């Protein structure tokens, strides 16, 4: 039987970052995941400025950012027109590479155990996990970072409450220019041409040599257009976004196209002795809102910088002690922002009432004005703010 202080169950982004931070703080830790090499998976594929600022607080930015592809400018198109060239940094990276970069930052004293946890036993002092092959690991605290897998939560009586089924659909693919070596833009945010398109936006950004596309839609996977898109024909993009062609010119979808429907889920009855839930295991977010990674990073940063050292410095691991993490003001603000942003982006993209139409028009005018101002200032050499909306 192995004995450690902290047992991290699940080595996706949340678990790998938590193991890296705990290990670097000298805490005796084990990280358990079925895959030594994290498999290809379609999830978050770029980090924005806010996410990088939270990553910096984890002390792991230096280990992860070199694996990303940095762009410093993003073209913004609304209603098929270029409204702004925004000077914002974005860091493109496949989810697999992101997790593997986090894993590479886990220091050697942390034990990586390849396996699936089948059973968890909790107590006010000691916790025990049993792996599928019968191996047992004991520790003072379990960090549950098992993402969407509900088995362990369910076995513990932790309730997964679905607040929205199939809230949005995310589509990921590579877009390749035809007859040219590259696209005119470094990165592009393309917002829908009409609100009844039921699209949030298309984001094009480089990862290495490839131009990656993430499309977020409020359409069911059975929607006929989604079904056609699944076949990987770029012409289907232009049937719903005809003016996109002005930006991309002739292009084709290269390689696999991934479609995932996303439910919004929160957990209840999770305040237990000996266990803390982080990342998607605690609650999911809408990919169109782009806040899932903020939640993961915030959870791990607060847990490992603020709470873990304090909890381990005193005896016991009762739920009253762990409650401080769930009640943390920064974590609660991050979760609340993520939930409200999901609703806001959906309303902004799909509502057809006059007030929402006016709101969209004002937004378009404001961005267009800001874009013109920025270009004018650049011509006369006045320094520019980033102006992120
Ligand atoms: C399609 C899609 C697109 C997204 N796009 C964005 C985006 O653009 N921006 C953004 O900010 N966020 C985005 N997100 C959200 C973000 O990617 C997730 O919030 C994040 O990946 C969650 O990480 P995690 O570590 O909690 O879970 P995961 O990465 O799912 O990790 C869970 C790990 O637990 C392991 N595990 C499960 N059960 C067991 C067990 N019993 N024993 C041992 N190990 C186990 C699994 O094998 C896995 O390795 C997106 C999500 C999806 C689904």
């Amino acid at each position: 039987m192995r004995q450690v202080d902290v047992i991290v169950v699940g080595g996706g982004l949340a678990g790998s970052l938590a193991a890296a931070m705990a290990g670097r703080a000298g805490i005796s830790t084990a990280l358990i995941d079925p895959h030594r090499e994290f498999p290809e998976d379609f999830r978050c594929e770029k980090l924005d400025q806010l996410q990088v600022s939270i990553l910096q607080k984890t002390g792991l930015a230096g280990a992860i950012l070199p694996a990303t592809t940095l762009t410093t400018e993003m073209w913004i198109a609304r209603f098929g027109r270029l409204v702004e060239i925004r000077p914002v940094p974005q860091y493109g990276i496949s989810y697999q590479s992101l997790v593997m970069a986090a894993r590479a930052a886990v220091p050697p004293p942390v034990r990586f155990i390849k396996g699936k946890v089948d059973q968890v036993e909790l107590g006010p002092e000691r916790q025990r996990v049993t792996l599928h092959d019968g191996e047992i690991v004991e520790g003072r605290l379990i960090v549950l970072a098992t993402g969407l897998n509900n088995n362990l939560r369910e076995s513990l009586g932790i309730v997964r409450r679905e607040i929205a089924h199939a809230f949005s659909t995310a589509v990921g693919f590579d877009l390749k220019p035809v007859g040219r070596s590259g696209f005119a833009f470094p990165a592009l945010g393309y917002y829908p041409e009409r609100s009844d398109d039921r699209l949030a936006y298309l984001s094009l950004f480089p990862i290495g040599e490839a131009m990656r596309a993430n499309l977020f839609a409020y359409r069911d996977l059975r929607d006929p257009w989604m079904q056609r898109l699944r076949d990987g024909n770029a012409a289907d993009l232009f049937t719903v976004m005809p003016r996109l062609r002005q930006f991309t010119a002739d292009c084709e979808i290269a390689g696999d196209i991934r479609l995932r429907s996303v439910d919004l889920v929160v957990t209840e009855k999770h305040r237990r002795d000996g266990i803390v839930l982080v990342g998607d295991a605690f609650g999911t977010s809408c990919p169109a809102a782009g806040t899932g990674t903020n939640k993961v990073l915030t959870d791990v940063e607060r847990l490992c910088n603020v709470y873990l050292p304090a909890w381990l410095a005193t005896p016991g691991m009762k739920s009253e002690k762990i409650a401080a993490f769930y009640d943390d003001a920064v974590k609660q603000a991050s979760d609340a922002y993520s939930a409200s942003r999901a609703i806001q982006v959906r309303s902004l993209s799909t509502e057809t009432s006059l007030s929402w139409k006016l709101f969209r028009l004002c937004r378009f005018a404001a961005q267009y004005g800001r874009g013109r101002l920025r270009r004018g200032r650049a011509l006369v050499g006045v320094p520019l703010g980033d102006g992120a909306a």
Side-chain angles (χ1 to χ4, degrees):
M1 186 194 300
R2 299 197 206 208
Q3 304 269 355
V4 288
D5 278 337
V6 174
I7 309 167
V8 181
V9 183
L13 185 59
S16 301
L17 290 172
M21 283 186 78
R24 286 174 171 215
I27 296 169
S28 145
T29 304
L31 172 63
I32 310 175
D33 192 272
H35 305 283
R36 193 168 285 283
E37 188 70 24
F38 192 83
E40 259 186 46
D41 201 0
F42 173 39
R43 299 294 186 86
C44 167
E45 298 190 317
K46 67 176 150 71
L47 302 176
D48 63 21
Q49 223 170 348
L50 178 59
Q51 289 163 343
V52 168
S53 72
I54 313 172
L55 183 63
Q56 270 153 354
K57 292 185 195 160
T58 66
L60 299 169
I64 288 174
L65 295 184
T68 64
T69 305
L70 173 65
T71 43
T72 52
E73 263 187 357
M74 182 177 173
W75 292 21
I76 304 288
R78 288 188 189 274
F79 303 117
R81 283 162 162 266
L82 178 66
V83 290
E84 194 183 0
I85 297 180
R86 202 182 276 172
V88 286
Q90 293 189 99
Y91 303 79
I93 184 165
S94 73
Y95 191 62
Q96 181 186 38
S97 304
L98 182 59
V99 174
M100 289 313 288
R103 292 233 189 130
V106 177
V110 175
R111 294 174 188 170
F112 180 87
I113 304 172
K114 183 177 174 305
K116 182 171 167 288
V117 172
D118 271 355
Q119 201 191 341
V120 169
E121 291 157 77
L122 302 176
E125 303 280 341
R126 304 289 301 167
Q127 329 307 327
R128 171 189 277 231
V129 303
T130 308
L131 276 74
H132 190 68
D133 65 3
E135 182 174 355
I136 291 173
V137 186
E138 269 197 5
R140 292 189 59 196
L141 176 74
I142 294 173
V143 176
L144 195 75
T146 45
L148 304 178
N149 187 349
N150 201 33
N151 295 350
L152 291 178
R153 280 180 302 185
E154 202 171 41
S155 71
L156 290 168
I158 296 173
V159 175
R160 173 189 185 274
R161 187 164 62 86
E162 198 174 84
I163 47 177
H165 180 70
F167 185 78
S168 62
T169 300
V171 189
F173 53 91
D174 287 351
L175 204 60
K176 216 171 108 190
V178 172
R180 292 132 36 233
S181 59
F183 291 101
F185 50 83
L188 172 70
Y190 192 88
Y191 290 82
E193 295 173 24
R194 293 173 305 269
S195 51
D196 54 8
D197 289 338
R198 301 193 72 75
L199 297 181
Y201 57 93
L202 169 72
S203 178
L204 298 174
F205 54 94
I207 298 182
E209 296 299 309
M211 183 60 77
R212 190 70 183 154
N214 283 181
L215 174 70
F216 302 106
Y218 302 103
R219 292 177 181 234
D220 194 270
L221 285 177
R222 288 162 302 185
D223 172 283
W225 181 69
M226 293 302 245
Q227 296 261 356
R228 286 199 299 279
L229 202 57
R230 197 190 282 273
D231 294 338
N233 187 346
D236 286 315
L237 286 174
F238 304 129
T239 59
V240 171
M241 296 175 278
R243 295 189 193 152
L244 175 64
R245 204 188 273 278
Q246 296 169 36
F247 296 91
T248 61
D250 280 347
C251 57
E252 62 188 17
I253 293 175
D256 286 349
I257 181 159
R258 306 264 172 120
L259 287 90
R260 280 189 77 157
S261 171
V262 178
D263 307 325
L264 298 188
V265 170
V266 291
T267 48
E268 290 169 352
K269 302 191 177 172
H270 49 276
R271 293 176 182 238
R272 304 293 171 99
D273 292 347
I275 191 165
V276 64
L277 277 65
V278 293
D280 279 6
F282 178 73
T284 62
S285 66
C286 172
T291 52
T293 305
N294 303 46
K295 272 161 56 69
V296 166
L297 291 166
T298 302
D299 280 1
V300 173
E301 187 277 317
R302 302 310 291 164
L303 176 68
C304 297
N305 274 343
V306 181
Y307 298 103
L308 263 193
W311 292 348
L312 294 171
T314 54
M317 204 53 77
K318 291 187 111 175
S319 64
E320 293 79 5
K321 194 154 128 173
I322 295 170
F325 167 75
Y326 297 121
D327 297 337
D328 181 277
V330 178
K331 173 180 166 52
Q332 289 203 340
S334 160
D335 290 343
Y337 173 71
S338 181
S340 66
R341 183 89 186 128
I343 305 295
Q344 189 194 24
V345 174
R346 187 178 166 122
S347 301
L348 198 58
S349 312
T350 59
E351 290 286 347
T352 51
S353 66
L354 186 62
S355 54
W356 278 104
K357 281 183 179 163
L358 274 174
F359 185 70
R360 274 194 288 270
L361 210 60
C362 292
R363 215 159 168 251
F364 170 79
Q367 265 188 345
Y368 187 71
R370 195 169 58 206
R372 301 284 298 198
L373 191 67
R374 187 171 276 136
R375 259 176 280 168
R377 281 181 173 178
L379 283 177
V380 293
V382 176
L384 310 168
D386 74 2

